[in-house]
Amino acid sequence: MGETNMPQDKGLDHTLKLLHEGYHFIMNRSDKFHSRVFETHLLGEKTICMVGKEEAELFYDNTKFVRKQASPVRIQKTLLGVDGVQGLDGAAHHHRKAMFMSLMTQEGLTQVGVLVQEEWKQEIEQQSREKINVYQAAKRVLTKVALRWTGVPYQDDQIEKWADYLSDMFEDAGAVGLKHWQARRSRSKAENQLKELVEAVRREDIMVRQDSALYHIVWHRELDDELLDAQIAAVELLNLLRPIVAIAVYIDFVVLAIHDYPEEVGKLESEEAMEYFIQEVRRFYPFFPVAPARVKTNFDWKGYTFEEGTLTLLDLYGTNHDPAVWSNPKTFQPERFQSWKGSPFDFIPQGGGEFNIGHRCAGEWLTIEVLKVTLDFFVHHLSFAFPEQNLAYEMNDIPALPKSNVIISDVKFK
Ligand code: HEM
């Protein structure tokens, strides 16, 4: 072994090209090599890249790939945290994942929807309605929703601080230099506070609702029947709080789509039409670029040799724009979801495969609920205008956000 039979990117390292080409890096090379699988070097390491539906099916086969040490340390120290569910495999993963999925009941989702509605109403009432920055407002709204839904106690004057900690972790996860360090600092401050909270709940200094996520995580028992280490409990609490706030990125794109596709907004009369619109926002706009894993043991697939231990990236954005699956992938067409068959491998903005036994995002249903309630609120309960602004976004910014963050003006309740 050692020699590859995959198409190979020439040159020593392509990290700079990745930074330059961003969301298009894998698709650009896949087109050039006429291959859905190729090999490159990123951050000094041999890396296999894959894009497409069949490739997603391969990637989510637990007999072929593992997650242990798949994410770079710099991403663990900012975005994900160390020793959380993302890096677990096998029985330990299934057991921890079940803890997350047990929170995603119909009741839990309905509850989150009610909170989102309440907090949007309050946010708009409290803001100067002349001009609202949708992304910043969504972060405040979702910070309150996240703390309330999980049962983490807070004072009103702590909201800005929580919003900053939680958003630094996903806004600056891929950053270098000062911003990277700021994201690390925000994570360690948030982890410390939550660790103290977990310990206080265990000492019964603080009482929490038994149906809350906080209660579930504090008293969750591992396969050896031990409670989670308080530090890891804090990491897993952040695995709920941080991504709930990150839905602000999609909310910004929902409102951008309202601006860019007014003819589609006119069709939002039914539940289905609202759902198709949300799904198309998640397919069309860039957010999470790739999912990482490592080859579990040597195997061959379609004539290619996968060597044990090799870092492998599945292109989520590229698979959502794959012309082999999506007709006119570069066009915003919510109705395409009318005939979508619901495959777990072709529409993967939040990862693919199965929720319980795989690493597919635990919060996908919650994300859809938050977006549906928010879309309904903006389209059916508010009227607003779009002032002059710069709505362009860059495909090598992660997350890519419109330059002006989407500003709405003359905001009124209908
Ligand atoms: C904001 C929109 C979101 C995006 C784009 C997103 C995306 C993702 C992606 C790409 C993964 C990794 C999939 C993989 O490794 O195969 C993931 C995993 C995860 N997400 Fe999300 N997510 C979002 C929202 C949420 C929310 C709202 C929650 C919780 C309330 C959440 C909780 C998780 C957890 C716990 C995992 C780890 C799952 C595992 O390793 O088994 N996410 N997410």
Side-chain angles (χ1 to χ4, degrees), residues 59-60 67 80 84-88 93 97 100 104 149-150 236 239-250 282 287-292 314 316 348-352 354-364 366-367 370-371:
F59 182 86
Y60 283 101
R67 298 307 181 99
L80 303 176
V85 62
Q86 292 92 344
L88 299 178
H93 174 255
K97 188 69 173 285
F100 282 98
M104 305 297 164
W149 187 71
T150 52
E236 299 300 29
N239 269 333
L240 293 171
L241 297 170
R242 178 201 70 252
I244 292 178
V245 177
I247 302 172
V249 173
Y250 275 150
R282 295 195 310 131
F287 192 172
F288 222 96
V290 295
L314 175 69
L316 305 180
I348 53 173
Q350 298 182 220
E354 295 187 46
F355 292 99
N356 293 323
I357 59 160
H359 285 267
R360 189 183 190 110
C361 173
E364 190 164 17
L366 188 146
T367 305
V370 169
L371 293 177

Side-chain angles (χ1 to χ4, degrees), residues 44 102 133 158 169 183 190 193 219 228 236 244 251 265 296 308 358 360 413:
S102 75
N133 178 319
Q158 297 168 333
M169 291 177 211
Q193 280 197 28
W219 299 112
L228 283 173
E236 299 300 29
I244 292 178
I251 291 181
V265 176
K296 187 174 180 185
E308 181 175 338
R360 189 183 190 110
F413 285 103

